Amino acid sequence: MIMRCGTGFMLAVIFSNSVLVCCATGKVPYRSGSGSSSSSNNTTSSSSSELKMTETMEEIVVGLPFANLKVLEKAFWDISTPDSGKYMQYMSLKEVADIIAPRDDLVINAYRWLVEQGATAIIISPLRDRMSAIMASEKASDCQALLESRNKQHELNSSTTEAPHYLEFFHRRRRSGPGVRGHDDSNGCSGNSDGSNSRGKGNAFGGSLNSRREEETLKAYSIPKQKRAYGIPENLTAKTGSVLQMVWGPGTFGFDPRNLQRFTKEQCPNVDVDRQVKFDPHSVSHGQPGGDNWGEGSLDVEMISCFGTNVTTWVSNTNTSDSTEEGQGFGLALLEFLTDLASRPEEQKPHVLSLSLGSLSASSCDLLCTEAEKLGHNVDSCRKFMQKQRQVCMFISEAQVSRISVALQVLGIRGVTVFGSSGDGGSHFSFQPFEGGALANDLNKISCEYQIPVFPTSSPYITSVGGTIWKGDLVPDSSSPIAWSGSGGGFSRQFPMPSYQSLHVSRYLNSTKGLPDRTSFNSKMRAYPDISAVAVEGTSQSSPTIAGIFSLLTDLRLQKGLKPLGHLGPRLYANAEKFPFEAFQDVTEGNSRTFCDNGFPCSRGWDPVTGLGRPIWSGLVKHFASDDTL
């Protein structure tokens, strides 16, 4: 509840056993949680002029610690596991908050600290896991420096109190610049001034086509041909109008509606771009041609809208900072997006989400620099070097990765199905070897000695999607799938293997010849990918393809009055064991070695290159659009 308090506003936060009342001075009023303009959270509305920020102001977000994470994880697996008595008993936002919301005193102290820093328009998220506010840019820089050096003696000024030690992140949202809503772009829209197609040359996990072969390859792997390969009726469209699917990326991530209309007119004419494809209302940007992530966004939107035909598609870009395009700013941007998405009201929560971007996991980067130190390199120099490489180490720490995974659990508990690209560097790289001298050469040597996992796809709370192509270079045979040479796969170095994978993985390890050295990976950890699809343009093509397919399955479920599927992991593997090769066609040819002399070979059944295989539409309808075969 918000009331005026002199020149500022009074914040009343009602907790289970107490009420917090504080006064934040400033001209910018408090706004409702999760960025919504609704008044459902008992906040007062305000005019857009009151919320306008000057160039010296910016929005910041701080993260508060979760509570009861073991309880949350148990709830996640219970809700995701078909033979659980709580299967598909999805929780409301309030029910999740009752589990993981931090203690009242932590929220109060964090709020008071923000007020002391001059913050205004303070928002406490519905899960009480984050606070966002408006702050002077200079002060935001000081606060960020303070929190980044929290273990050192550091003061902002004589009147500033110490920041709460438990704040887990401090994020500065960039709200101006090329492609940002409200910014006067040169051509006034998000595409090229001449309307030409501009996917870019690709990026981590996608867009790997050679431009000279693009037209030829797209013709060989046209959307109609892919649908026929999976057995999907070419004219099949969603019917309910209730399903929401989403793709996300930071930086220059976006698409040009005019280019999408040209693409869909040729490849999937049933797509109504004007009605079906929209920008996420929470987006701060519609993208900018020329950046790495612009091509990513264009590819993601093409695939998910063509395969999830007549499903509403939201394209989200919630952070335009340059550091989110190549460096560690990406991890913070992903964290902030997922925690915000997990807190959104029901009507703004997607049924299906595809995440094509990622990089080596934090644990992988730690391993690489630790091993490089043994070869005479400095660890700090190694980390700085990898930040100069293109989209390689974009997560700060395992703690950040864990927090991202908590948000993924919340999404699953609320019924969201999340897919992630398995990577484009096989089992050794993010998507290509290192470049630039002796350190690069040693890092490549280390990368080939180990199987190096990527993230977020190696999280057990996501469905990982690998890549396939069709056998035959000149005339690809759509009935004969083989692994795409860059399809990412392997074993996490942070997350234990879920029990439902154990039988499939042990069967693979015990029966497959030509495996890499057992010391190069930990076979007791989460194995990936889970499934696969065409990835002639990288696994950034396969993930949104699968997402679109499962959006259609979700639509079929809603037509029958069934609940959405939520997290798929346990059901995928249980189905593969009970009804082998009915929902997914096995892929038995290929290897994850890429540029190295070792890798995981494809094999009968699950393998860490293509997972359980590629989609078979009739089997998917039988086993996932209905619950009759559970």
Side-chain angles (χ1 to χ4, degrees):
M1 180 180 299
I2 303 302
M3 297 175 288
R4 288 199 171 271
C5 174
T7 59
F9 290 82
M10 182 176 292
L11 169 66
V13 183
I14 302 175
F15 297 113
S16 55
N17 298 312
S18 63
V19 177
L20 163 65
V21 179
C22 292
C23 182
T25 61
K27 296 181 179 180
V28 184
Y30 182 88
R31 294 165 292 134
S32 58
S34 194
S36 171
S37 61
S38 85
S39 57
S40 59
N41 292 333
N42 295 323
T43 62
T44 59
S45 61
S46 59
S47 68
S48 59
S49 62
E50 288 181 295
L51 292 174
K52 186 176 181 180
M53 289 183 286
T54 68
E55 292 183 358
T56 61
M57 306 293 286
E58 61 185 70
E59 187 171 9
I60 60 94
V61 183
V62 296
L64 300 169
F66 292 113
N68 304 314
L69 290 181
K70 290 184 178 179
V71 177
L72 180 78
E73 180 156 22
K74 183 178 187 305
F76 173 86
W77 291 120
D78 285 346
I79 289 170
S80 304
T81 304
D83 60 3
S84 164
K86 296 183 179 179
Y87 183 52
M88 287 189 177
Q89 293 184 18
Y90 302 124
M91 292 185 177
S92 67
L93 195 56
K94 181 182 182 305
E95 288 173 325
V96 176
D98 287 344
I99 295 175
I100 63 172
R103 298 195 320 262
D104 294 356
D105 62 307
L106 302 183
V107 179
I108 293 170
N109 289 338
Y111 178 85
R112 288 172 174 163
W113 179 74
L114 287 174
V115 171
E116 290 170 354
Q117 310 315 307
T120 60
I122 300 173
I123 304 169
I124 300 177
S125 71
L127 292 176
R128 302 214 302 271
D129 61 328
R130 291 170 299 120
M131 288 184 179
S132 63
I134 305 301
M135 183 179 286
S137 297
E138 183 177 358
K139 180 65 73 171
S141 296
D142 289 342
C143 289
Q144 184 177 31
L146 171 64
L147 291 170
E148 288 177 351
S149 58
R150 64 179 63 187
N151 295 324
K152 302 176 182 178
Q153 190 71 27
H154 185 96
E155 290 186 354
L156 299 179
N157 55 57
S158 59
S159 63
T160 300
T161 59
E162 181 181 356
H165 65 85
Y166 51 80
L167 294 183
E168 296 191 350
F169 65 84
F170 184 95
H171 185 197
R172 301 168 66 186
R173 286 175 173 167
R174 179 180 170 185
R175 292 281 179 174
S176 62
V180 178
R181 291 189 300 174
H183 178 84
D184 184 16
D185 291 329
S186 59
N187 58 4
C189 68
S190 58
N192 293 346
S193 59
D194 62 358
S196 62
N197 199 333
S198 176
R199 276 190 180 175
K201 294 183 178 179
N203 47 275
F205 302 4
S208 59
L209 279 182
N210 183 313
S211 58
R212 292 176 296 178
R213 295 190 59 196
E214 181 171 0
E215 185 175 349
E216 176 185 339
T217 303
L218 288 178
K219 184 177 179 180
Y221 287 87
S222 68
I223 300 298
K225 288 182 179 179
Q226 290 185 54
K227 288 185 175 182
R228 286 195 291 273
Y230 303 140
I232 302 172
E234 189 173 336
N235 295 321
L236 179 65
T237 63
K239 305 298 183 186
T240 65
S242 302
V243 181
L244 176 61
Q245 58 188 8
M246 179 182 283
V247 294
W248 171 86
T252 59
F253 187 93
F255 77 105
D256 185 340
R258 296 168 300 182
N259 290 337
L260 180 61
Q261 286 174 336
R262 277 190 287 271
F263 181 86
T264 57
K265 182 178 180 180
E266 178 183 338
Q267 297 287 329
C268 45
N270 289 328
V271 175
D272 185 342
V273 172
D274 290 337
R275 185 185 61 83
Q276 179 184 337
V277 185
K278 309 172 186 292
F279 286 100
D280 175 12
H282 292 245
S283 288
V284 301
S285 173
H286 291 173
Q288 180 72 10
D292 279 346
N293 287 355
W294 174 259
E296 176 66 49
S298 301
L299 178 62
D300 281 12
V301 177
E302 289 170 358
M303 294 301 110
I304 199 169
S305 58
C306 280
F307 282 91
T309 310
N310 207 33
V311 173
T312 298
T313 302
W314 279 7
V315 183
S316 185
N317 182 336
T318 54
N319 190 303
T320 61
S321 169
D322 292 340
S323 67
T324 67
E325 195 92 345
E326 304 285 349
Q328 290 183 339
F330 173 85
L332 196 52
L334 177 61
L335 169 60
E336 216 249 305
F337 165 70
L338 289 175
T339 52
D340 172 76
L341 189 65
S343 295
R344 291 191 189 184
E346 196 67 26
E347 66 274 11
Q348 296 182 17
K349 172 179 65 67
H351 295 87
V352 175
L353 169 66
S354 177
L355 299 172
S356 290
L357 289 160
S359 79
L360 299 183
S361 66
S363 56
S364 294
C365 295
D366 290 343
L367 171 68
L368 287 170
C369 285
T370 298
E371 293 299 312
E373 185 179 28
K374 297 177 183 178
L375 298 177
H377 299 283
N378 178 271
V379 171
D380 289 338
S381 297
C382 175
R383 294 186 182 280
K384 291 178 181 177
F385 173 80
M386 289 199 289
Q387 284 302 297
K388 296 179 181 178
Q389 298 288 297
R390 188 161 161 261
Q391 298 175 321
V392 173
C393 290
M394 301 199 295
F395 299 97
I396 296 173
S397 65
E398 288 191 7
Q400 183 186 73
V401 165
S402 294
R403 175 121 189 174
I404 290 170
S405 289
V406 171
L408 291 169
Q409 290 178 59
V410 174
L411 289 171
I413 284 174
R414 298 190 64 199
V416 180
T417 305
V418 184
F419 297 98
S421 299
S422 72
D424 288 5
S427 55
H428 296 286
F429 300 99
S430 182
F431 69 111
Q432 66 184 26
F434 295 93
E435 298 177 349
L439 177 55
N441 294 335
D442 284 341
L443 288 173
N444 287 331
K445 178 182 177 182
I446 297 165
S447 295
C448 286
E449 289 176 354
Y450 290 90
Q451 313 304 312
I452 309 291
V454 296
F455 186 82
T457 196
S458 60
S459 169
Y461 315 112
I462 202 170
T463 299
S464 177
V465 185
T468 64
I469 56 173
W470 301 334
K471 201 166 187 177
D473 290 333
L474 297 178
V475 183
D477 180 2
S478 63
S479 66
S480 301
I482 60 176
W484 175 58
S485 61
S487 183
F491 295 80
S492 170
R493 292 186 172 272
Q494 182 171 348
F495 299 100
M497 181 182 295
S499 59
Y500 59 81
Q501 283 195 312
S502 298
L503 179 62
H504 297 264
V505 173
S506 62
R507 189 181 291 149
Y508 170 81
L509 294 175
N510 293 331
S511 64
T512 305
K513 297 180 179 180
L515 292 172
D517 192 297
R518 292 295 183 102
T519 62
S520 70
F521 64 96
N522 188 341
S523 62
K524 297 184 182 300
M525 307 300 273
R526 172 356 186 200
Y528 73 100
D530 300 301
I531 51 181
S532 56
V534 165
V536 70
E537 295 186 79
T539 56
S540 284
Q541 178 182 18
S542 58
S543 180
T545 293
I546 289 289
I549 291 171
F550 272 85
S551 288
L552 290 183
L553 293 169
T554 300
D555 184 76
L556 292 175
R557 293 182 63 84
L558 297 185
Q559 290 180 45
K560 300 174 184 178
L562 299 174
K563 294 181 179 181
L565 287 161
H567 179 60
L568 288 172
R571 184 164 180 164
L572 284 173
Y573 287 83
N575 176 266
E577 186 64 24
K578 190 175 180 181
F579 304 100
F581 313 124
E582 287 193 15
F584 295 93
Q585 181 180 350
D586 198 15
V587 180
T588 58
E589 183 175 336
N591 196 292
S592 69
R593 66 170 65 94
T594 59
F595 303 95
C596 302
D597 61 3
N598 66 89
F600 295 106
C602 286
S603 182
R604 179 175 172 81
W606 178 88
D607 58 64
V609 190
T610 61
L612 297 169
R614 74 171 187 178
I616 301 173
W617 178 251
S618 59
L620 289 174
V621 171
K622 176 182 177 181
H623 298 297
F624 291 88
S626 167
D627 295 334
D628 293 343
T629 61
L630 286 180

